[in-house]
Amino acid sequence: MKIVKPSTIAGVMELLPEDQLAFDRMKNIIEETFKKFQFLPIDTPVIEKNEILFAKGGGETEKQIYEIASETRDMSLRFDLTVPLARYVAEHFADLNFPFKRYHIAKVYRGERNQKGRYREFYQCDIDIIGHNSLAIANDAIPPRVIYEIFNKLDTPDVTFKINNRKLLNGFLNALDITDTTDVLRLIDKKDKIGMENTKNELLELVDNQKADKILAFIASDLKNEELLASLDDFVDNNLYREGLCELKTVYSYMIHLGIPDKNIKIDPSITRGLDYYTGTVYETFVNGYENIGSVSSGGRYEKLAENFSKQALPGVGMSIGLTRLFYQLKEIGLVNTNESRLTDILIIPMSDEENFYAIDILNKLHEEGKRADIYLEGGKLKKKFSYADKVGVKYAYIIGQSEREEGKVTIRNMQTGEQELVDFANL
């Protein structure tokens, strides 16, 4: 029989158990925090109809999609969790209560170009608040509050939320009589990567020198939040700009009142996000001191979630964490502690088969007490058994020999200090 060399396809993450435990711990923290803030779980099929996935037009998305090989060729793997959400809300509209707060943690699939840290199969963790006809702007402060708590629990350094409002930015550009804003917005979005000097040089290819200077002054402020918000009153005066500024001030004040410290918020008029999707509030989240890894959570406000599937007006706001990429990034910079990733605290080691039944009685008692315990039933020398206990990282080894079995006792060995103690079975 031919032996096939075992290998995975490029662009997928497969972890050893200790890393998988650390990954699952992160996923569980995210999910429990979503639940704490009363977001409801949904789970949609990993396969969607092509007419659903491409309802807004194919373009680059269609090039990255994984189509299912079938006779009809009308199904593909989902590439994000937003399109399935839009379909879900439109399909189940009559059975949902609005505002509808949902979370979804699941794998998505994209034909990404193979490169370090980019995955073709990866977990997304999304929260969204969906309104019917309208959604109060105060809701825009809730997703960053949830994300703030998650990163506190993940034991990472502080995070900073960079927030802006697309109405503010678009209103500002409209006041400068810049009608085709797409290229300008794309350039603004990459200013941190290319630097202000290169940003201006490229701006001058799109607008005149006077407008370029005004744009740079608008996006480059290093004022504190309250001072910056006050200064924004003086830039331009049109309805779209005023509406965006009012919303930005409101979201900022609610974020503060919900418990996000001011030092963790940065009003940043250069934040753009999804040019053809987000319509109001936008956020990017950065780990302080590790800004070079990019945004670790992002999102914003949108007005027409299910416009391709329903005539209902369904505005919403949400944020997302790309968990697979986040885990990779945090592990690369040493912020994932896999040493504490264990399932078992206690390993019961019978010295011979004759002690196995007594050892199982101890295991049952420990499980009844809610302890995280396991048993080693393999033969071999004691050194081999202790070596296994070391490798799986248990805190204590419960050693069962003939004398322990006959006297109803257990020898408990502290695997870190080497200290041992003889304890009665009844006093475990």
Side-chain angles (χ1 to χ4, degrees):
M1 182 179 71
K2 180 184 178 182
I3 300 296
V4 177
K5 182 180 179 181
S7 62
T8 58
I9 64 171
V12 298
M13 176 183 280
E14 190 172 73
L15 302 171
L16 291 174
E18 58 269 23
D19 282 342
Q20 189 65 56
L21 285 169
F23 182 92
D24 289 348
R25 174 180 175 269
M26 289 177 62
K27 183 155 69 74
N28 291 338
I29 285 172
I30 292 169
E31 182 165 22
E32 289 307 310
T33 308
F34 287 170
K35 289 179 179 178
K36 174 183 173 179
F37 285 88
Q38 305 307 299
F39 286 82
L40 300 171
I42 71 168
D43 189 18
T44 63
V46 70
I47 301 171
E48 293 275 1
K49 296 177 181 178
N50 285 345
E51 65 179 355
I52 297 293
L53 293 175
F54 303 137
K56 201 173 182 178
E60 289 299 315
T61 298
E62 194 166 353
K63 295 177 183 178
Q64 291 187 327
I65 212 74
Y66 283 108
E67 193 170 55
I68 302 298
S70 64
E71 290 184 8
T72 57
R73 300 183 68 84
D74 63 350
M75 299 175 292
S76 298
L77 300 179
R78 63 188 173 206
F79 59 85
D80 72 0
L81 299 180
T82 301
V83 173
L85 171 64
R87 190 266 308 152
Y88 181 96
V89 174
E91 187 172 350
H92 301 287
F93 175 80
D95 299 311
L96 300 176
N97 297 313
F98 294 90
F100 174 52
K101 297 173 69 175
R102 88 81 167 91
Y103 80 83
H104 194 180
I105 300 175
K107 287 182 177 180
V108 299
Y109 299 84
R110 292 182 194 171
E112 294 275 13
R113 184 168 58 87
N114 188 26
Q115 55 182 306
K116 192 175 182 181
R118 288 283 180 185
Y119 294 95
R120 294 173 175 177
E121 175 191 69
F122 55 96
Y123 272 98
Q124 284 289 115
C125 308
D126 287 14
I127 49 171
D128 288 87
I129 307 172
I130 312 300
H132 179 212
N133 293 326
S134 64
L135 183 68
I137 190 65
N139 286 288
D140 292 23
I142 294 176
R145 174 63 181 88
V146 178
I147 301 301
Y148 173 72
E149 182 151 330
I150 286 170
F151 278 94
N152 278 346
K153 292 176 179 176
L154 290 179
D155 301 323
T156 62
D158 259 358
V159 295
T160 294
F161 296 97
K162 292 188 175 183
I163 68 168
N164 188 27
N165 192 293
R166 287 293 304 278
K167 295 175 185 176
L168 179 83
L169 192 52
N170 288 335
F172 173 75
L173 295 178
N174 290 348
L176 297 181
D177 293 324
I178 300 174
T179 53
D180 187 3
T181 61
T182 301
D183 289 339
V184 175
L185 289 171
R186 291 189 197 282
L187 183 55
I188 290 172
D189 189 48
K190 67 177 185 178
K191 74 171 177 61
D192 290 336
K193 294 180 180 179
I194 65 174
M196 293 302 287
E197 184 177 346
N198 289 330
T199 301
K200 180 169 183 179
N201 291 336
E202 293 191 31
L203 267 177
L204 291 174
E205 297 177 10
L206 303 172
V207 299
D208 62 41
N209 190 69
Q210 185 179 19
K211 289 179 180 179
D213 286 340
K214 287 182 178 180
I215 292 171
L216 292 176
F218 183 71
I219 66 174
S221 174
D222 58 357
L223 295 173
K224 293 182 179 178
N225 291 326
E226 294 282 3
E227 295 172 344
L228 177 56
L229 287 172
S231 73
L232 290 174
D233 280 324
D234 302 324
F235 270 89
V236 297
D237 189 11
N238 62 39
N239 290 338
L240 186 62
Y241 181 89
R242 286 290 163 199
E243 185 178 349
L245 182 56
C246 180
E247 290 183 358
L248 184 58
K249 289 179 178 179
T250 300
V251 175
Y252 169 69
S253 64
Y254 271 92
M255 288 174 68
I256 294 291
H257 205 72
L258 280 167
I260 303 177
D262 185 65
K263 67 182 180 66
N264 296 100
I265 304 170
K266 172 60 179 165
I267 308 293
D268 188 342
S270 71
I271 299 296
T272 59
R273 297 276 322 142
L275 300 184
D276 58 350
Y277 184 65
Y278 294 112
T279 56
T281 306
V282 283
Y283 337 80
E284 298 273 11
T285 314
F286 296 89
V287 178
N288 295 346
Y290 300 93
E291 289 81 3
N292 60 307
I293 69 175
S295 176
V296 293
S297 177
S298 56
R301 162 76 71 137
Y302 42 86
E303 294 305 321
K304 299 177 181 179
L305 172 71
E307 63 179 335
N308 297 302
F309 312 123
S310 171
K311 293 182 179 180
Q312 301 289 346
L314 298 168
V317 63
M319 291 188 76
S320 177
I321 297 175
L323 178 56
T324 304
R325 179 164 170 76
L326 175 64
F327 180 83
Y328 169 82
Q329 291 170 319
L330 295 183
K331 193 169 188 300
E332 283 285 290
I333 57 179
L335 294 181
V336 173
N337 184 3
T338 57
N339 294 329
E340 295 184 5
S341 298
R342 68 165 73 86
L343 286 179
T344 308
D345 292 325
I346 300 165
L347 182 67
I348 303 164
I349 302 177
M351 300 294 287
S352 70
D353 289 350
E354 293 181 0
E355 280 75 54
N356 281 356
F357 285 171
Y358 178 56
I360 290 172
D361 291 338
I362 294 171
L363 178 69
N364 291 338
K365 180 178 176 63
L366 290 171
H367 282 173
E368 288 170 4
E369 297 289 337
K371 304 298 183 185
R372 304 194 305 176
D374 197 5
I375 189 169
Y376 187 88
L377 294 173
E378 302 301 310
K381 296 181 179 180
L382 186 59
K383 182 179 179 181
K384 175 186 175 183
K385 298 178 181 184
F386 278 148
S387 174
Y388 177 82
D390 277 330
K391 288 177 180 177
V392 297
V394 297
K395 295 179 181 178
Y396 301 99
Y398 282 25
I399 305 163
I400 313 299
Q402 180 181 350
S403 62
E404 283 86 0
R405 172 172 56 84
E406 292 175 349
E407 298 172 16
K409 297 182 181 295
V410 179
T411 297
I412 300 177
R413 179 184 178 91
N414 186 316
M415 294 299 293
Q416 293 178 322
T417 66
E419 295 176 355
Q420 294 190 172
E421 180 183 7
L422 190 63
V423 178
D424 288 332
F425 174 84
N427 296 329
L428 281 178

